[in-house]
Amino acid sequence: NDSAKHVYIMKFDNDDVKIGISQNIKRRKKQLTNQHGHKITDCYYTDKIENASQIEVKLHDTFRAYRQQGEYFLCDYDKAVKKLKSLVD
């Protein structure tokens, strides 16, 4: 299904945490590494789900106090993953 996407959380070696959605995680990781200039040290993502964008918005809202710019946050990676798992279950 084309509308189903992964929700992902990626942590970079400078402690930035990226919360986003993608059809193709492998390609997205490559794009982000090139754009960001830092290595991805951790990555968690869901199976493809229909409500990915709603889940992404809830995560962005939960961690809004930690937002750096765009979809980058300076939040605890493990807490973000835990929150994502709780929203998907």
Side-chain angles (χ1 to χ4, degrees):
N1 188 333
D2 274 357
S3 64
K5 293 187 172 139
H6 302 282
V7 182
Y8 65 80
I9 300 173
M10 295 183 197
K11 182 179 179 184
F12 292 83
D13 62 10
N14 68 339
D15 288 334
D16 277 356
V17 173
K18 172 89 164 70
I19 299 170
I21 58 176
S22 179
Q23 291 267 10
N24 183 323
I25 293 293
K26 197 174 172 184
R27 187 174 64 222
R28 191 70 185 123
K29 281 172 94 169
K30 197 177 280 186
Q31 287 171 338
L32 289 172
T33 302
N34 291 338
Q35 286 171 11
H36 192 280
H38 284 270
K39 282 193 171 73
I40 295 166
T41 56
D42 276 302
C43 177
Y44 175 83
Y45 57 92
T46 64
D47 292 331
K48 283 190 175 181
I49 52 176
E50 291 295 329
N51 63 336
S53 54
Q54 290 99 304
I55 300 279
E56 179 193 30
V57 166
K58 284 180 184 170
L59 283 169
H60 287 178
D61 195 49
T62 300
F63 296 102
R64 68 183 175 277
Y66 304 96
R67 190 184 289 265
Q68 297 303 295
Q69 77 181 74
E71 298 181 338
Y72 287 95
F73 298 80
L74 263 184
C75 64
D76 185 284
Y77 171 79
D78 294 321
K79 282 185 182 160
V81 169
K82 191 175 178 181
K83 180 65 178 175
L84 173 53
K85 287 179 178 177
S86 78
L87 291 170
V88 174
D89 286 347

